[in-house]
Amino acid sequence: MKLDKPVTGGPCWTELGTSDVAAAKEFYEALFGWRAETDPRQEAGGYTVAHLGDAAVAALTPLYQEGQPVAWNVSFAVLDADAAAAQVTEAGGTVLVGPMDVLDVGRFAVAVDPTGAVFQLWQARSFPGAGLLSAPGALGWVELLTRAPERAVEFYTTVFGWSVNASEHYTQWGIEGDDFGGMLTMDDKFPHEVPAHWLPYFAVVDVDGKAAEATEAGGTVLMEPTSVPDGPRIAVLRDPQGAVFGVYRAADDK
């Protein structure tokens, strides 16, 4: 991910909806060195922001709705959440929640693309999103896993205007030449009940070490550390509550 700060159309935030915020805080603070602070206001609903130094990098939240899965969610920055939500609908997606104001910090909506992947729209006011991207412990890449890649390309290029850099095995998303994410086609290796979804990857210095640390802390390694040819070293992990996320080290990181 070449982006080091949120830009319009790009990933600007990631938040974990979890069944046990306290346990998740302990796990991720140990894994990434985060400092997590819960908003004490009742209207904030237990929203907890994780920091690296002074920079906000992610959030942990309780499950707000019955049946809501334990999962990481990815937000994309937009200038106008209402206009973006309308574009989502026109392009064949569905708006699940909002658009609605979040206190004084911004306006957001939750949507699902035509292939079944849920994502969020964020119109910043006092809170622009992550204060740090592509640094160790911060969001560094986002990946769409879907069974209908051609439909996904049509949808996201229409809604966000992303560039598409496609090869035989992998498609990368970008904004004006800066790639920030990719798309993987879900094949028969994925259980039928696993829906299309967005997967956040956090940058780390040592992928193998973080995989081992996650296991020691009660997590699970779903994909062992692997070096992508001419690309990063990556692993896919699952936290003790069941949320899946990735870690990576870019090929050009020294």
Side-chain angles (χ1 to χ4, degrees):
M1 182 175 186
K2 298 176 183 178
L3 303 180
D4 59 3
K5 61 183 179 180
V7 299
T8 301
C12 64
W13 192 238
T14 185
E15 59 186 31
L16 169 67
T18 182
S19 56
D20 191 334
V21 172
K25 284 174 61 174
E26 182 178 356
F27 176 81
Y28 288 101
E29 284 180 340
L31 191 65
F32 294 136
W34 290 351
R35 172 177 51 84
E37 298 179 351
T38 300
D39 191 322
R41 294 174 292 180
Q42 183 176 0
E43 61 268 31
Y47 200 83
T48 298
V49 176
H51 299 79
L52 283 172
D54 294 329
V57 292
L60 313 175
T61 77
L63 299 178
Y64 294 127
Q65 298 179 346
E66 184 176 350
Q68 179 184 346
V70 173
W72 279 97
N73 300 295
V74 175
S75 297
F76 297 96
V78 296
L79 296 177
D80 184 330
D82 295 79
Q87 287 181 312
V88 165
T89 302
E90 292 170 5
T94 304
V95 177
L96 302 178
V97 177
M100 60 187 293
D101 290 332
V102 181
L103 303 175
D104 62 346
V105 296
R107 188 166 176 81
F108 94 115
V110 180
V112 58
D113 73 23
T115 80
V118 175
F119 63 98
Q120 298 179 166
L121 304 170
W122 181 251
Q123 175 189 337
R125 287 176 179 159
S126 63
F127 182 70
L132 192 65
L133 293 173
S134 302
L139 181 66
W141 189 257
V142 293
E143 185 174 77
L144 173 65
L145 290 89
T146 179
R147 295 179 176 85
E150 293 181 357
R151 184 67 182 93
V153 168
E154 179 184 6
F155 174 79
Y156 287 104
T157 55
T158 298
V159 173
F160 294 117
W162 293 344
S163 59
V164 179
N165 181 8
S167 67
E168 181 180 355
H169 301 293
Y170 197 69
T171 295
Q172 294 190 166
W173 308 110
I175 296 175
E176 296 181 353
D178 289 337
D179 290 340
F180 61 81
M183 179 173 62
L184 186 67
T185 301
M186 300 173 74
D187 56 22
D188 294 338
K189 297 177 182 177
F190 290 84
H192 178 73
E193 63 271 16
V194 176
H197 59 281
W198 279 96
L199 181 70
Y201 278 78
F202 297 95
V204 298
V205 174
D206 181 358
V207 171
D208 299 68
K210 289 302 176 187
E213 289 177 29
T215 301
E216 293 169 2
T220 307
V221 177
L222 299 182
M223 187 184 77
E224 294 289 341
T226 303
S227 293
V228 178
D230 299 319
R233 187 162 180 80
I234 62 175
V236 177
L237 313 174
R238 183 169 57 205
D239 72 22
Q241 284 70 52
V244 179
F245 62 100
V247 293
Y248 87 107
R249 176 183 173 88
D252 55 358
D253 285 347
K254 302 301 182 182

